[in-house]
Amino acid sequence: MLNRRQRHILKYLIDHERFVTVRDLAEKYKVSERSIRYDLDAIAYDVKKNGLALDRHKHRGVRFVLPKEERGRWLHRLAGEPDYSNRLSAEERRDTILGVLFHQHRPVSSTDLADLLYVSRRTVVKDLKRVEAWLKSHRLSLTYVQNKGFRITGAERDVRKALAYLVSNRSHDDRDLPFKLTGLADEHLDLVREAVFEHVRTLPYELTDSSLDGLIFHIAVALQRLRKGHEITMPERELAELRSTQEFKVSQSIAHSIASRLRVSIPEAEAGYMTLHLLGAKLLHKHAPVSISLEGPVKHFIRETGARLGTDLTEDRQLMRGLMVHLRPTLYRLKFNLRLNNPLKDDIMQEYTPIVEAIAHSVPILEDAFQVSFNDDERAYLALHIGAALERQSGVKRRPRVLLVCGSGVGTAQLLLGRIKRYFPNLDIVDTCPLYHMSPEWLQQKDVDWIISTIPIDGLPVPHIIVNPFLTVQDRQKIASRIQQEQENQAEERMAGPVLEDVLAPELIKLDVEVENWQEAVRQAGQLLIDHNHVEPRYVDAMVRMVEENGPYIVIDQGVAMPHARPEDGVKSLGLSLLRLSNPVNFGHDKNDPVKLVICLSSVDAEMHLNALRQLASILSDNENKQILLTGGKEAILEKVQEVSQI
C-alpha cells in the first residue's frame, strides 16, 4: 500500500507520461532526493505486483506509461486508495524505520524519515526512542552521525539476528515482501532459490515453506552484507561442532553453488549460519535424529516440572521422546534468535495455567544447559507436551457402563451387541434387555452411565441414544461423539478440580513441629494424610523412597518441600497436608535448603489437584503471603487459603 505522497507521485507520472527527474520531483514535493528515491522504490514494487514496471533511466529520470484502457482504472484506484500513513501504528512506524536503517549503509536523517512516513519530525524523534530501545534489546545501538543522521551499529552476528527477528515477525499478506527488503536483484534471488531447492532435497526430512523462506531470506541478506564488506564470523568451536552434521554439508553445497553462479566469495562461517537455520527449521515430520546430549537436561526438566505439578512424569517415555524431538530444532532456532510464532499460545496460557506457571520455574534448567532463552511462544509448546503427559496419566478412570435395549427380540439384541463390541471396544456393556425389564431402581443397581437403544425411551433418569440394530455410519458417529464428549467433560472436571480451601482442611495443618531430619518431616506430614483417610501407610514410604532414589527435587521453593508419590502407591482420595517445622531441616537441595514448610500431596490422578496447587503457588510466589505460612497462626493461614480459593 502506498502512502499519500507516493500516490500523488504515481498519479503525476500517469498524467504526464514523460520522464521526470528525481530532482524535479524533490522540488515539487519539498522533500529530499533520497526521500523521492524511497518513494520510487515503493511505487516500483507496487506496480510490479500488477505486472507493470516503472521506466527508470539514470540520466533522464523516471516515467510510467500506461495503455489507454488502463489509465481510468489506475486513476480510480489512486483516488479511492486509503491513506496508508494514517494506518501506521507506533509499532509499525518503528519497524519501518528499522527496515530503512538496516538496509541503508549510510546514515539516515530524521527529516528523511519524516518524509518517508509522512509524519512530523517530532513524531519521528519519539519513534527513534522506540527504535533505540528495540535495538538495545537485540544488543545493538542507534548511533547519530553529526550532520548526517542515524545508523545501526553493533556486531555483525547481532545485526543478522535482529534483522531475521524483525522480518520473521512482520504480519503482512505479501510473502515476497521480506525478500524485497533484502535489496537483492530478482534474478539473483531466483538463483538463490534454485540453489536452496536443489540441495535441501538431499536431507532425510522435508522442510515447511516458511523454513525454506527463512533460509532464502538469510542468504539474501548475507549476500548484500558481504557486498558491503560486512563479513560474519563464527567461533571455531561452534564451526567444529557443525561440520560433522549433514546439514553443514548441504549448506556448503548451497554456498558453493551460489558463489560460482554469482561470482562472490562466501566464507565458511556463512555456511555455518545456514546450518543453524536448517537445524532450527520446522520439520514437516519428526524423523530427524535426536542428540544424546539433550537427555540429561530434559530428564531434569521433566522431574522438576512434575515436582511443581505434584506428579511423577519421569516414567513417561512418550513425553521424554517428544520433548527431545521438539527441542532439537528449537534450541538451534533460539540460538539464532529465529522466532516461531505459536498460534495457540493464548489458548494454551489460559487452558494450562498451572502447567505454564510450573514451566516458568523449571525452564531455566534448559536455558542454563543450552545458553538460550525461551519466549512465551516456546514455553507454550513445552506446556502442550506436559499437558498431554498429564492427560495420559489421568486417562479415563473407568470405561463408560452402557446398557443395550432392544424391542425386536434376542437375535436383534445380539446383532447390536456384536457390532457395538466391534466398533467400540472401550465401552463396558453391562447387559442387554427389553424395555419392560427396566426401572429407575434396577438401573441404579446396574450403575449404568447411559443406554443405547433401538426404540425410544421415556421416563428414565439415564441418557440414551437411539440407533439402528445394524449400527449405521450415522449411528457410529453419534456414539463416538458421546464418548468424546464424556472424555472432554471428565478432563474439564479434572483440570478445574477442587479449590485449595476444599483440599487443605484445618485438621491437615500442623504448626511448629520438632523433627530430627527430612525423613521424619515427610513421615509426620504424611501421617496427617493417613489419619484422615486420604492415603494408606505405604504411600508415606513411597514418598520417602522417591526422594532417596531421585534426590531433593521436591524442594520446589526456598524453604518449601512438596513430597508426593504416585496414585497407585496407596492414594485413597485427594488431600493436602501442611507441616511447619520449628527448626528447618536440610533435604540436600543446593539452593532451597533449609526447609521449614513440608506440604504433602495425595492425588487420585495427575490433574485433579492442579487448581488447588495453582492457588497454593500464588501464596508461595508472594513474599508477604508466604510469610503467613512461615510465621502466622492457623487462623491466619486458613484466612489466606480461603482468600486465594476465590481466585
Side-chain angles (χ1 to χ4, degrees), residues 241-242 245 275-281 291 327-338 372:
E241 179 183 346
L242 296 175
T245 66
T275 305
L276 287 176
H277 270 273
L278 290 174
L279 290 170
S291 170
L327 284 171
R328 176 186 177 274
T330 297
L331 293 175
Y332 282 107
R333 186 168 61 245
L334 293 175
K335 189 174 184 180
F336 199 68
N337 206 21
L338 296 175
V372 296

Side-chain angles (χ1 to χ4, degrees), residues 94 98 102 130-138 162 165-166:
R94 179 203 67 186
L98 282 166
F102 272 122
R130 299 187 186 95
V131 168
E132 186 173 21
W134 190 95
L135 291 171
K136 185 177 180 180
S137 70
H138 291 267
Y165 184 88
L166 175 67

